[in-house]
Amino acid sequence: MKKWLTIMGMTLLMGCSNNEILKIKEDTPIPVVTKKGDSYVFLDDLKHRSTTKYMICDGDKKQLKILIRVRKNDIEKINLILDGETKKMESLGFRGEYEVFSADINETVKKDVNYYFEIIDGRFKYFYGEKSSYYPEDVTAFTYTIEYKQRELPSWAGGMVWYSIYVDSFRDGDEKNSPIYSEFGPGYYFSPSGRLNDGTLRSELISPEKWQTNGTLQGFEVTDWGDDWNTPPYSEIEAKNRYFTYAVKNTRRYGGDLQGVMDKLDYLKDLGVEGIKLSPVYYSSSSHKLDTIDYGHISPDYGITDKNSYRELETGLGSDIWTNSDKFFQNLVDEIHKKNMRVVLDINFSYVSPEFFAYRDLLKNGDSSKYKNWFILNGELKNKDKKILLNLEDKSVQDYLIAATVKWVKGYENKGIDGYFVKNDLTGKGFLTRWKKALLEINSEFILVGESTEENENNLGKDGFDIIGSYELGAWMEGLFESRSSIETVKGGMEIYSIKTPRWNLIESYDTDRFYSGLINPNREFDRLNSYGRDDYINIRPDLIDKNAIKKLKLAALIQLTIDGSPVIYYGNEKAMWGGDSPDNRKPMIWDDIKFENETDSLKKYSKNRDKIAGIFKTDMIKDRISYSVVADKTLEDWYRQISEFRNFDMELFKNGDLEILDLDKDKYLEDGSVEKIWETDVFSYKREYKGRSAIIVINRSGLKKTVEVPVQGEKGYTDYYSGKRYNILGDKIRVELEGYGYLILYRRVEFD
């Protein structure tokens, strides 16, 4: 090691006088261990963009928080150089393999902010900007345009509790509309047997010549709701072995539909849900329906299947026509509105299905097709492994998409949906601006939410997205329960939420692993390689691995539902559903009236965790298979209702209240008998405050009993919301005790208490 340090020092310093600049060259040795002060910086890991992900702005208070991401433990000091002035940045702690630095700018009145970063580590100095340099005079600054005049959100949209449903796996309310083929399309299947109630043969729901043109798989059937998730049906195994390696689980269908959602509206209302977010419901053959065939019509396997439902869509039915499935969707929207809830639809413009009408025409007519400019084509037209990308710059594409999507906002006889959630990148600001204008002309209280991508975050503003659906909270909270994350890192990550921005808080979705499973797979980067079979990811029911997993999940739910922003509950989180990244995050919802087979797993899937799992299940590699019950955690479901009750008790506080992260003290007893106040390292606390009312949330992330002192202001004490216990102020603090993985919810109304 000493020899390596000597070589590195010679490489960096050779020929350098005190006036020369230290540079990292291609032949500079890369450190084996990242260490601050070693005069080496991993420049490729510096990450900042002039987007809302790194520039968090509260227009009302003229506050701006600027973030930069660097490699963990790599850099001693970062200065922000903003309009010629220098401001030291503070570390917010670690996020996976990275560290985040922050600088707060108050009372920013300029519209355009010019800035760059001075990176300092040991004797090494670097200036990071749009164009970076070792010399400050050569750096090109970043420029960020502050959108202080962002569209004011409608009053209903702030701080709502949303519930995200993956329709195919939520509830089968109508067995008659079950899909008749998978996303492979009918060309790979023998025609199905059976009839509809009106006598129509299921095989004749589509043109007969479409069956069995590409393969010879057995007739397609939906999977029984309660079957073992990890035991694929024969049809999947056959499809995998003969045609598609990804067939197992990924193309499975359970038959969930819109009737199933309607049947469970009272359940959702009782849970405290205020808005429902639906996965795409437009005509498509897949379960996720991100690969849309027709944006202007509801898929018959989600709505109504009758003798005309598929045939009429084969003809390229205009968006202005309302099919029976379209009308049924409107019935669902009406019922949601009657229960004083809102509804938002997921939509994806990044790519479409190979069966998309314009793409079929292009395949048939080539350059003579009137749709030849509708797509971004790279290579061969028929390359089935490449996604079919829409050209959103083309005006005729924009016209079609606007007409098809405005339909669901107008509604059929009654008011339509309340918003769209755009999945993946929406490229093309021109289309976004046109589309939003058209939507608001129909409904001035409509909202447009963009999934957290760099492109979408850059388009947050008056003419773009109103809200960003962010996974930052999920990434931060997974670190909350990791022993390697210090409490200062936890607090630093939460500081991002102290500036109010229009934000939906997701901790999981049908594109990430379940948060519950993340708790037993620590020290991994959020939403990266967290799939079953990848790097020993444990896909087993978490409470069997960690007896405190449910307690941790309850704390996560408490934070998500009381922190600033709008919480988005992914279906089944309230039942402690588990699973890795897709498809294991799309399991069928656990309902009391459905009996589930035991879920099985194989020890052969694991290497470093194999002995641990074998010990828990008291088995060995000879037996190989393990088995456990599929059950919901009833206490967690009730816990969601309790938190919702607290939110409803003072809804304004959680919709509009400011957020403050609190510093906690505890007693340390010294050898001489005196007491020293030191920071608590395992208890986290924050306050929400609005118009004289405040709530303090205190959370113990450890399994040990803790006593801490919480700083408070004023003379009035606080009351435990659930037990009614009174906490009086001693000096400027209140002393509280928490059990392992315990919590306190304290409340105060100054004008009454």
Side-chain angles (χ1 to χ4, degrees):
M1 186 67 180
K2 290 182 179 179
K3 182 178 179 182
W4 176 87
L5 288 171
T6 302
I7 294 173
M8 179 185 168
M10 291 176 63
T11 304
L12 285 171
L13 303 174
M14 191 176 293
C16 290
S17 68
N18 291 335
N19 296 324
E20 290 181 329
I21 300 296
L22 254 161
K23 297 182 179 180
I24 295 174
K25 302 178 180 179
E26 290 185 4
D27 60 348
T28 301
I30 299 174
V32 177
V33 178
T34 307
K35 182 181 179 182
K36 295 187 179 186
D38 62 3
S39 300
Y40 187 99
V41 170
F42 288 85
L43 298 178
D44 289 343
D45 285 335
L46 298 178
K47 187 66 179 291
H48 175 87
R49 296 288 183 271
S50 297
T51 68
T52 55
K53 182 173 183 176
Y54 298 93
M55 308 290 287
I56 304 172
C57 178
D58 182 346
D60 293 337
K61 296 183 178 179
K62 298 293 188 294
Q63 290 181 330
L64 184 65
K65 184 182 289 289
I66 301 179
L67 307 177
I68 180 174
R69 190 204 75 181
V70 303
R71 180 173 284 208
K72 179 180 177 180
N73 283 325
D74 188 31
I75 297 173
E76 283 187 304
K77 181 180 180 182
I78 301 179
N79 290 323
L80 173 71
I81 314 298
L82 188 146
D83 292 328
E85 296 185 4
T86 301
K87 184 178 182 64
K88 182 183 177 182
M89 302 189 76
E90 301 295 333
S91 174
L92 293 183
F94 305 134
R95 184 73 53 83
E97 295 304 313
Y98 301 100
E99 186 172 3
V100 178
F101 284 78
S102 167
D104 292 336
I105 310 300
N106 296 319
E107 298 182 0
T108 302
V109 295
K110 290 187 176 182
K111 183 177 178 60
D112 293 324
V113 178
N114 299 297
Y115 60 97
Y116 60 91
F117 303 93
E118 182 184 31
I119 311 295
I120 302 172
D121 188 68
R123 297 186 60 251
F124 179 81
K125 186 178 290 188
Y126 189 72
F127 300 93
Y128 177 63
E130 194 69 49
K131 177 184 175 184
S132 304
S133 176
Y134 291 96
Y135 307 96
E137 61 271 19
D138 293 337
V139 68
T140 300
F142 292 104
T143 298
Y144 181 69
T145 301
I146 300 174
E147 290 279 359
Y148 281 141
K149 295 183 178 180
Q150 188 167 327
R151 174 196 173 207
E152 185 175 347
L153 290 178
S155 58
W156 66 265
M160 284 185 63
V161 177
W162 291 90
Y163 191 91
S164 177
I165 292 176
Y166 190 78
V167 178
D168 185 66
S169 301
F170 182 68
R171 180 76 174 182
D172 185 357
D174 181 6
E175 293 183 356
K176 299 187 297 295
N177 65 3
S178 294
I180 55 177
Y181 49 82
S182 77
E183 65 183 67
F184 305 143
Y188 284 92
Y189 292 97
F190 287 109
S191 58
S193 59
R195 296 176 181 269
L196 302 181
N197 289 347
D198 62 4
T200 303
L201 289 169
R202 294 178 75 230
S203 61
E204 294 182 356
L205 289 173
I206 64 171
S207 301
E209 65 273 11
K210 289 190 173 184
W211 296 108
Q212 205 178 332
T213 58
N214 299 320
T216 54
L217 296 175
Q218 293 182 2
F220 177 77
E221 296 291 342
V222 298
T223 303
D224 288 345
W225 204 269
D227 282 0
D228 173 21
W229 171 259
N230 288 325
T231 301
Y234 173 76
S235 59
E236 285 184 7
I237 297 174
E238 185 187 24
K240 174 187 176 182
N241 293 338
R242 297 178 62 185
Y243 302 110
F244 301 95
T245 57
Y246 65 91
V248 173
K249 295 184 183 178
N250 286 291
T251 57
R252 191 177 300 174
R253 298 297 303 275
Y254 282 96
D257 48 38
L258 299 179
Q259 181 64 58
V261 177
M262 191 176 294
D263 292 345
K264 292 298 180 179
L265 291 182
D266 287 338
Y267 164 82
L268 297 175
K269 185 70 176 178
D270 180 59
L271 196 65
V273 171
E274 299 169 282
I276 297 172
K277 170 183 169 292
L278 295 174
S279 62
V281 296
Y282 324 101
Y283 180 37
S284 172
S285 302
S286 65
S287 67
H288 53 75
K289 301 198 183 306
L290 294 167
D291 52 346
T292 305
I293 296 175
D294 191 335
Y295 290 95
H297 296 288
I298 302 300
S299 211
D301 53 322
Y302 278 2
I304 303 294
T305 296
D306 55 35
K307 63 180 180 180
N308 297 318
S309 56
Y310 285 92
R311 291 292 188 103
E312 63 186 351
L313 293 176
E314 288 178 357
T315 64
L317 197 66
S319 299
D320 57 322
I321 304 298
W322 284 76
T323 67
N324 287 336
S325 292
D326 297 347
K327 294 175 184 177
F328 186 82
F329 172 70
Q330 180 64 52
N331 291 341
L332 173 61
V333 173
D334 292 344
E335 290 301 311
I336 291 172
H337 286 158
K338 286 178 184 177
K339 295 184 182 299
N340 198 29
M341 293 190 289
R342 303 283 178 160
V343 59
V344 161
L345 281 183
D346 282 6
I347 196 164
N348 172 48
F349 294 125
S350 295
Y351 57 90
V352 292
S353 167
E355 295 299 311
F356 187 66
F357 73 94
Y359 187 71
R360 292 203 315 268
D361 187 276
L362 181 60
L363 289 179
K364 179 180 179 180
N365 299 308
D367 287 341
S368 61
S369 171
K370 63 179 180 179
Y371 303 111
K372 67 178 182 180
N373 294 324
W374 278 40
F375 305 96
I376 301 171
L377 302 175
N378 296 312
E380 295 183 13
L381 216 55
K382 294 185 179 180
N383 187 346
K384 66 180 180 182
D385 295 326
K386 291 185 177 179
K387 290 181 177 179
I388 300 160
L389 308 179
L390 283 174
N391 177 17
L392 296 180
E393 299 296 331
D394 185 87
K395 187 176 182 301
S396 56
V397 173
Q398 296 180 9
D399 292 342
Y400 160 73
L401 293 175
I402 289 172
T405 55
V406 159
K407 170 181 179 174
W408 309 117
V409 184
K410 287 181 178 178
Y412 183 77
E413 295 183 350
N414 294 318
K415 177 177 174 254
I417 64 173
D418 302 287
Y420 278 117
F421 182 95
V422 177
K423 293 286 296 177
N424 303 314
D425 280 332
L426 197 162
T427 57
K429 183 67 181 289
F431 166 66
L432 178 58
T433 300
R434 274 194 70 197
W435 185 42
K436 185 174 184 180
K437 180 180 179 182
L439 297 173
L440 292 177
E441 285 175 353
I442 302 301
N443 180 1
S444 62
E445 292 201 329
F446 192 85
I447 62 170
L448 198 55
V449 188
E451 187 175 32
S452 179
T453 69
E454 191 165 305
E455 183 77 24
N456 292 347
E457 288 165 350
N458 204 34
N459 287 327
L460 175 69
K462 187 176 181 181
D463 297 323
F465 293 110
D466 300 311
I467 301 167
I468 291 296
S470 171
Y471 292 97
E472 288 291 320
L473 185 63
W476 169 81
M477 283 204 301
E478 282 197 352
L480 174 64
F481 299 106
E482 294 178 0
S483 58
R484 68 175 185 171
S485 296
S486 70
I487 202 68
E488 290 310 302
T489 293
V490 171
K491 289 161 56 179
M494 188 60 87
E495 282 289 348
I496 295 173
Y497 293 85
S498 64
I499 291 186
K500 297 183 74 64
T501 60
R503 182 192 294 110
W504 277 14
N505 293 324
L506 298 93
I507 65 172
E508 61 184 64
S509 74
Y510 56 85
D511 285 326
T512 73
D513 58 332
R514 290 274 188 179
F515 187 86
Y516 192 31
S517 287
L519 292 174
I520 60 168
N521 289 279
N523 305 325
R524 303 170 76 108
E525 189 174 347
F526 183 81
D527 194 26
R528 182 173 176 81
L529 306 180
N530 292 333
S531 302
Y532 182 38
R534 297 292 296 268
D535 193 26
D536 234 41
Y537 188 94
I538 301 176
N539 208 36
I540 296 166
R541 204 179 81 206
D543 62 297
L544 299 174
I545 306 297
D546 178 1
K547 64 180 181 180
N548 293 310
I550 284 291
K551 294 179 181 179
K552 296 175 184 178
L553 190 58
K554 287 181 178 180
L555 295 181
L558 174 59
I559 295 171
Q560 187 186 22
L561 289 169
T562 56
I563 206 70
D564 188 53
S566 293
V568 181
I569 304 167
Y570 184 47
Y571 85 98
N573 197 346
E574 78 280 13
K575 294 178 180 287
M577 288 182 64
W578 65 93
D581 207 339
S582 58
D584 294 291
N585 52 12
R586 304 173 183 180
K587 295 178 184 179
M589 179 73 157
I590 301 175
W591 296 111
D592 291 341
D593 60 348
I594 298 176
K595 184 177 181 179
F596 283 79
E597 295 179 353
N598 276 9
E599 188 170 287
T600 60
D601 202 353
S602 170
L603 291 178
K604 292 178 182 178
K605 288 280 187 180
Y606 304 100
S607 56
K608 60 185 179 183
N609 288 315
R610 182 182 302 163
D611 293 341
K612 172 184 177 182
I613 296 170
I616 291 172
F617 287 89
K618 296 180 173 57
T619 186
D620 53 43
M621 285 300 295
I622 297 176
K623 296 178 181 178
D624 176 48
R625 302 296 290 182
I626 58 177
S627 173
Y628 44 91
S629 60
V630 176
V631 291
D633 187 275
K634 290 294 185 183
T635 64
L636 183 64
E637 195 173 310
D638 291 339
W639 176 233
Y640 270 87
R641 295 188 178 96
Q642 290 179 46
I643 306 174
S644 295
E645 174 196 313
F646 179 48
R647 285 179 57 90
N648 292 333
F649 175 72
D650 194 339
M651 187 65 71
E652 276 192 324
L653 174 64
F654 292 103
K655 285 182 177 289
N656 305 311
D658 291 332
L659 172 73
E660 180 184 355
I661 311 301
L662 303 177
D663 293 325
L664 305 183
D665 292 337
K666 68 176 181 179
D667 292 340
K668 180 182 179 181
Y669 293 92
L670 305 179
E671 293 182 357
D672 61 2
S674 62
V675 178
E676 178 185 0
K677 297 294 184 184
I678 61 173
W679 280 3
E680 170 55 54
T681 57
D682 282 317
V683 181
F684 172 70
S685 181
Y686 55 93
K687 179 173 69 174
R688 301 295 305 276
E689 189 166 31
Y690 185 73
K691 292 184 177 179
R693 291 111 66 194
S694 61
I696 293 177
I697 313 297
V698 192
I699 288 171
N700 181 7
R701 68 170 183 169
S702 79
L704 303 176
K705 188 174 182 179
K706 296 284 184 177
T707 300
V708 297
E709 294 180 345
V710 181
V712 295
Q713 296 175 335
E715 299 178 357
K716 301 291 184 179
Y718 279 81
T719 301
D720 185 329
Y721 178 77
Y722 291 115
S723 71
K725 180 180 178 180
R726 183 77 176 182
Y727 286 86
N728 295 317
I729 299 176
L730 299 174
D732 58 353
K733 296 179 181 180
I734 55 177
R735 180 179 288 257
V736 301
E737 292 184 352
L738 299 100
E739 297 297 326
Y741 300 110
Y743 64 89
L744 273 178
I745 300 175
L746 306 176
Y747 184 78
R748 178 176 75 179
R749 273 193 292 202
V750 172
E751 61 267 36
F752 296 115
D753 291 358

